[in-house]
């Protein structure tokens, strides 16, 4: 029977912790996608700014946007923003816990409401854009 | 080292916590210790499912609850204790409600009650089918409010310290460090729970090893009515996991291999159709008392009408007709457990069940204040026997008992603590050194012993199941008494591989086995000496109840050789012994 | 022995070891064995020195949480057959200091649980005397907090939480869920008393919503939801304070 003072063992928690399990990887991607969401918001601000600078400046800007690299970048951004949106919509039932009497409103339904709202807004935007 | 307290609770289950809170509330200046070998919320009260009985509804009466309890106990209950218990129960249950226990409710917001076996009316309060879990967590969380309660979580008590003719605390091992210390108290309350682990097939968790009973027994306090051991009729085969009586309270039925409601053949009444609005009828058929239902299983088995399974024979508990919605609302845990551990979904299939060791009616002999014959030592909860459970406990009386007698015993111990001087420090230290030596000598000695914990425990389990089961006989009990003696002799040669201090769970298993052997001895001898059949104690060689000679509590005293069994009169006040009637309108 | 399986178990003994090691044991494979059964078999038949916690064997006492192949689980509720025939790696729950073998130290949680004040707090003079019976609570009111009351304190959620592993000052999922359990109980008036801790830096705002606490919770407590909802209501509090300072809580 040793009389050594008892010491607990603290396991290291490496920086690569998020590579250990799939849910953590997905979480990290979700965090990463917010960079793209933020980036695209800045882009939209620039877009509006250019619009105020007169037709010429705006025209050049639009032309630049048509370059293949810019289009590619847009697709990448779209993919990330979609990922971001979907993961967050799927999380909404955790934030919005609704009850009808004793029964909790199913989580799928809550998330579904957001998807439905998304579709409606997208259709309106599409009509607006295409209608122009 | 010695730590001093006014009152020391050994056990942090329902009884221990209720006692601690009762003292903390009435005497905020007293120093209270709660010693528990597991974190209090792990205590086995957590596993209780069905509910807790107390008269609350207008259509019920205290008199009825008293009568059901006494008849259910086959007149072995002390009637003064039962009367106090029943009178105090509603108040205690309301107190639990005020502390936040999430009782299931009626639409108008009052608490809901459900029927339970042996009760003439629905009076069992429930929190879905996790009543014990919710009660334990409510009590534990409420106890956090009181800063005069000091917790000793994961401290293992080994011995009661007696000095100057009174109990002055315990020695306990701090599991983390392996150190043995004195936890001294002017009063000590044993709340260590039952001892189902003496048997191989039980609903009891690993920690239910009768420690407190054995410690008291070794300190010269008698163990009362130890032969009365409750088999619950519906445990899952293999694991012994309990399927609560509430499943039958809500209308579940018992079927044999022919799909026949066999209970009707055992003087438990006639079955009503499951669609009949009066089903299930109280105190009849599936809602008969547990002893009778478990005995009926054995009879069915003998008639070869049970169903063979890989874990022995079973019958079916069928709740399919309740429908998914009701099952999910009232019995969600039953569904979860059946799915996980029996691989069947009770919404679509009947649940295979068989009787399983569940509860110890007997325990440390106490008076109505929870006081034992040793001044300063008190006991409450399943480890104690006050006795309200007699020869057969009614389901849902035990959780209430934890509250009623936990609180009462706590207050009585506090009164005692206020009157006695401080513990005798020096002599307690000497005793602790002795206890340390005993443990080192017995378990850490040089060289290897020859006996393994596992095999001794297995042999004890087997002999107890064979002889102290649902039906017993003098011959097999005699053999078991000898067998226990043999096991105790062999225990001396126990071999531990682990000779270290920190969290030595092999050492605690050995100490628990030693405790269980003492309790097993008390059970076997008490059962051997009771040559009658009553409640859960059924002797095939003495099939009749014998009030003339045995309307008495058995009192087992430890001696150097075999236990000495004495008797003490049952306290009968207003309810003279009668016949137990089930399945008939009275 | 017919079929067998291998368990690779984390071993650490503070009296002997500076670093943990893994020890592999071979156990019989039985269809209806949970991992805890296999570990008990090891303790009984192979190696008496292995230490771990367990009691109820029915997933309700909360003692037996372990990392099973890197995922926090109740070892009494997962079956060998779900891993057969591969080797199973068993470790103590991550995020906690290890005391010995599979036993981790949970003192930190016990302190946090106490600090969150997990009991009914009534306004002064609004205690109902016992003689007047129970507080009324409709089934719908009960349903609001019931899921949060189902927590068995098993610590799986803490083991799944990278925030807690990186910074143990975080109060963490179960303690916050239990705070919310009382906050949402119609009988309770203690939200303000708990809010200081819940809305503190170590409280809900440390959570980055990884969501794994809810994914691993064996009792569907959904602590992640409890935390996010507390964020929403704390934000509303903040707006109320800032925008209508005179309208501060009743
Ligand atoms: C599966 C199951 C279902 C049940 N359902 C119901 C029901 O529906 N209704 C009902 O009324 N009753 C029910 N019961 C019975 C009831 O739950 C128990 O009788 C009761 O919970 C016992 O409580 P207790 O406080 O006496 O002991 P426990 O809750 O068992 O607590 C014992 C305490 O003592 C401590 N302890 C033990 N030994 C030592 C030691 N050596 N050193 C330090 N500490 C020690 C333990 O750590 C623990 O804290 C059920 C029982 C089981 C097993
Ligand atoms: S919230 Fe769930 S995972 Fe966390 S301690 Fe409670 S029961 Fe366990
Ligand atoms: S042993 Fe109790 S939860 Fe696993």
């Amino acid at each position: 029977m040793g009389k050594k003072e008892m010491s607990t063992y603290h396991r290291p928690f490496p920086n690569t912790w998020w590579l250990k399990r799939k849910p953590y990887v997905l979480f990290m991607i979700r965090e990463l996608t917010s960079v793209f969401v933020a980036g695209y918001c800045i882009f939209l601000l620039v877009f509006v700014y250019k619009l105020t600078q007169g037709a010429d400046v705006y025209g050049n800007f639009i032309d630049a946007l048509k370059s293949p690299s810019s289009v590619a970048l847009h697709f990448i951004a779209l993919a990330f923003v979609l990922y971001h949106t979907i993961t967050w919509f799927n999380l909404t039932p955790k934030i919005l816990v609704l009850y009808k009497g004793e029964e909790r409103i199913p989580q799928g339904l809550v998330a579904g409401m957001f998807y439905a709202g998304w579709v409606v807004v997208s259709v309106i935007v599409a009509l607006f854009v295409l209608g122009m | 080292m010695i730590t001093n307290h006014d009152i020391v609770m050994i056990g942090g289950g329902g009884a221990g916590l209720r006692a601690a809170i009762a003292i903390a509330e009435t005497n905020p200046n007293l120093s209270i210790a709660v010693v528990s070998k597991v974190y209090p919320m792990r205590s086995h009260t957590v596993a209780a499912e069905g509910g807790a009985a107390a008269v609350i509804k207008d259509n019920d009466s205290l008199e009825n609850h008293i009568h059901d309890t006494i008849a259910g106990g086959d007149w072995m209950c002390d009637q003064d204790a039962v009367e106090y218990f029943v009178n105090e129960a509603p108040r205690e249950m309301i107190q639990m409600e005020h502390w936040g226990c999430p009782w299931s409710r009626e639409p108008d917001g009052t608490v809901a009650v459900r029927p339970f076996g042996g009760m003439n009316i629905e009076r069992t309060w429930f929190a879905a089918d996790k009543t014990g879990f919710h009660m334990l967590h409510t009590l534990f969380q409420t106890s956090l409010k009181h800063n005069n309660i000091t917790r000793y979580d994961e401290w293992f008590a080994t011995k009661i310290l007696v000095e100057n003719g009174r109990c002055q605390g315990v020695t306990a091992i701090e599991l983390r460090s392996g150190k043995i210390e004195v936890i001294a108290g002017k009063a000590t309350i044993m709340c260590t729970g039952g001892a189902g682990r003496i048997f191989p097939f039980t609903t009891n968790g690993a920690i239910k090893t009768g420690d407190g009973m054995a410690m008291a027994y070794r300190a010269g306090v008698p163990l009362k009515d130890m032969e009365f051991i409750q088999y619950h009729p519906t445990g899952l085969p293999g694991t012994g996991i309990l399927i609560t009586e509430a499943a039958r309270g809500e209308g579940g039925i018992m079927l044999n291999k022919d799909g026949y409601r066999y209970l009707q053949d055992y003087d438990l009444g006639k079955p009503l159709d499951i669609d009949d609005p009066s089903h299930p009828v109280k105190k009849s058929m599936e809602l008969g008392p547990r002893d009778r239902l478990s005995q009926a299983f054995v009879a069915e088995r003998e008639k070869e009408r049970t169903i063979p399974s890989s874990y022995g024979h079973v019958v079916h508990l069928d709740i399919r007709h309740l429908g998914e919605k009701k099952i999910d609302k009232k019995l969600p845990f039953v569904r979860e457990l059946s799915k996980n551990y029996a691989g069947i979904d009770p919404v679509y299939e009947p649940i295979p069940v068989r009787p399983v060791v569940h509860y110890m009616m007997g325990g440390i002999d106490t008076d109505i204040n929870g006081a034992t014959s040793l001044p300063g030592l008190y006991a409450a909860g399943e480890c104690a026997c006050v006795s309200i459970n007699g020869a057969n406990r009614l389901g849902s009386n035990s959780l209430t008992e934890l509250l009623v007698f936990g609180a009462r015993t706590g207050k009585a111990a506090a009164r005692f603590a206020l009157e006695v001087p401080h513990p005798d420090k020096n002599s307690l230290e000497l005793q602790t050194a002795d206890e340390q030596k005993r443990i080192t000598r017995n378990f850490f000695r040089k060289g290897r012993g020859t006996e393994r914990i596992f095999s001794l425990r297995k042999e004890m389990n087997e002999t107890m199941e064979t002889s102290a089961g649902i039906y017993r006989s003098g011959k097999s009990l005699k053999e078991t008494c000898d067998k226990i003696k043999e096991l105790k002799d062999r225990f001396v040669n126990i071999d531990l591989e682990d000779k270290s201090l920190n969290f030595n769970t092999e050492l605690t298993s050995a100490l628990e086995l030693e405790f269980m052997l003492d309790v097993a001895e008390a059970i076997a001898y008490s059962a051997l000496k009771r040559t009658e059949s009553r409640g859960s104690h059924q002797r095939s060689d003495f099939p009749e109840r014998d009030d003339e000679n045995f309307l008495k509590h058995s009192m087992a005293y430890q001696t150097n050789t075999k236990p000495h069994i004495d008797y003490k009169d049952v306290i009968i006040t207003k309810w003279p012994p009668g016949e137990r009637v089930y399945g008939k309108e009275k | 022995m017919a079929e067998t399986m291998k368990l690779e178990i984390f071993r650490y003994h503070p009296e002997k070891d500076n670093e943990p090691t893994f020890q592999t044991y071979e156990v019989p494979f039985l269809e209806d064995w949970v991992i805890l059964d296999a570990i008990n078999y090891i303790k009984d038949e192979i190696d008496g020195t292995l230490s771990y916690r367990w009691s109820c064997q029915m997933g309700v006492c909360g003692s037996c949480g372990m990392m099973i192949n890197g995922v926090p689980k109740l070892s009494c509720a997962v079956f060998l057959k779900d891993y057969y025939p591969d080797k199973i790696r068993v470790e103590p729950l991550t995020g906690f200091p290890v005391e010995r073998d599979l036993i981790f130290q949970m003192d930190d949680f016990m302190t946090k649980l106490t600090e969150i004040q997990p009991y009914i707090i009534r306004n002064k003079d609004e205690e109902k005397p016992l003689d007047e019976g129970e507080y009324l609570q409709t089934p719908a009111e009960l349903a609001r907090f019931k899921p949060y009351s189902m927590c068995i304190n098993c610590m799986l959620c803490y083991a799944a939480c990278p925030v807690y592993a990186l910074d143990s000052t975080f109060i963490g999922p179960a303690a916050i869920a239990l705070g919310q359990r009382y906050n949402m109980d119609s009988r309770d008036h203690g939200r303000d008393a708990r809010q200081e801790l819940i809305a503190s830096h170590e409280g809900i705002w440390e959570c980055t919503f990884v969501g794994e606490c809810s994914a691993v919770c064996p009792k569907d407590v959904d602590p992640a939801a409890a935390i996010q909802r507390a964020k929403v209501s704390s934000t509303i509090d903040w707006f109320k304070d800032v925008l209508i300072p005179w309208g501060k809580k009743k």
Side-chain angles (χ1 to χ4, degrees), chain B residues 333-437:
Chain B
F333 199 35
V334 166
R335 191 172 184 194
E336 182 187 325
L337 292 170
S338 310
K339 273 171 137 175
N340 289 349
Y341 296 98
I344 66 111
D345 184 344
V347 171
Y348 307 107
E349 286 163 274
I351 312 168
V353 291
R354 55 166 278 201
V356 51
V357 169
H358 185 55
Y359 184 85
M360 309 273 305
M361 266 71 73
I364 305 168
D365 170 43
T366 74
D367 67 12
I368 196 170
N369 289 317
T372 70
S373 56
L374 175 64
L377 181 70
Y378 293 75
E382 191 172 339
C383 74
C385 181
V386 275
S387 83
I388 64 153
N389 298 311
N392 170 63
R393 170 182 74 107
L394 287 194
S396 77
N397 265 353
S398 168
L399 287 173
T400 314
E401 176 183 358
L402 306 180
L403 302 174
V404 172
F405 287 100
R408 184 177 171 105
T409 305
K411 288 176 197 157
R415 283 195 298 275
F416 181 87
L418 289 170
E419 283 163 16
V420 292
H422 280 293
D424 304 287
K425 205 163 162 248
N426 293 340
S427 14
L428 294 189
E429 240 150 31
L430 287 176
Q431 285 204 37
T432 311
D434 282 349
E435 177 68 354
Q436 174 81 65
K437 268 187 230 139

Side-chain angles (χ1 to χ4, degrees), chain B residues 205-277:
Chain B
I207 57 175
K208 300 199 75 168
T209 46
D211 306 9
M213 297 177 185
M215 281 185 265
Y217 186 48
R218 290 175 191 173
V221 175
L223 297 182
K224 183 163 65 185
D225 291 343
M226 293 303 284
E227 61 273 39
F228 298 107
I229 288 161
Q230 180 164 77
Y231 275 74
H232 194 295
T234 61
L236 291 182
T239 56
I241 289 174
L242 179 78
I243 298 300
T244 171
E245 193 164 294
R248 284 170 280 131
E250 297 295 342
I253 53 174
M254 305 288 296
L255 303 172
N256 68 11
K257 77 169 202 246
D258 309 315
Y260 171 68
R261 290 175 70 187
Y262 62 92
L263 293 175
Q264 58 189 292
D265 298 353
Y266 300 95
D267 203 15
L268 284 158
K270 290 276 156 267
L272 283 187
D273 198 81
I274 49 173
D275 297 325
D276 193 308

Side-chain angles (χ1 to χ4, degrees), chain C residues 92-105:
Chain C
L93 291 182
T94 50
F96 301 95
V98 181
E99 245 165 54
R100 171 177 177 178
D101 298 342
L102 299 171
I103 297 177
F104 59 92
Q105 199 173 73

Side-chain angles (χ1 to χ4, degrees), chain B residues 42 133, chain C residues 62 74 109 147-148 150-158 173-175 177-178 212-214 216-224:
Chain B
R42 318 277 187 231
F133 163 80
Chain C
L74 292 180
F109 171 75
Y148 301 140
M150 302 301 278
C151 172
I152 60 173
N153 302 359
C154 65
M155 301 294 97
L156 300 193
C157 52
Y158 283 76
L178 282 162
E212 269 303 283
C213 51
S214 291
V216 301
C217 175
K219 299 289 139 184
D220 294 328
V221 173
D222 206 347

Side-chain angles (χ1 to χ4, degrees), chain B residues 79-104:
Chain B
Q79 299 186 354
D80 55 342
V82 174
E83 213 173 338
Y84 176 78
F85 163 74
V86 168
N87 287 334
E88 209 44 36
R91 202 182 159 78
E92 279 295 330
M93 299 293 285
I94 290 169
Q95 177 65 80
M96 284 302 292
E97 196 279 334
H98 285 205
W99 284 335
C101 191
W103 297 119
S104 293

Side-chain angles (χ1 to χ4, degrees), chain B residues 100 176 311 341 452 498 502, chain C residues 15 32 44 76 100 107:
Chain B
R176 180 175 292 176
Y311 290 99
Y341 296 98
R452 302 218 5 118
D498 192 345
N502 174 279
Chain C
E15 290 163 48
D32 51 6
D44 284 342
C76 71
R100 171 177 177 178
D107 303 25

Side-chain angles (χ1 to χ4, degrees), chain A residues 9-52:
Chain A
Y9 179 73
H10 294 256
R11 282 162 289 177
F13 196 70
N15 287 334
T16 50
W17 61 267
W18 55 277
L19 290 171
K20 295 260 163 66
R21 281 183 57 208
K22 196 168 142 211
Y24 295 141
V25 176
L26 295 179
F27 161 75
M28 276 309 217
I29 297 176
R30 192 186 86 206
E31 293 292 280
L32 184 72
T33 56
S34 55
V35 175
F36 283 83
V37 176
Y40 207 79
C41 287
I42 295 172
F43 166 77
L44 287 178
L45 288 177
V46 173
F47 192 96
V48 173
Y49 171 74
K50 295 278 180 189
L51 200 58
T52 62

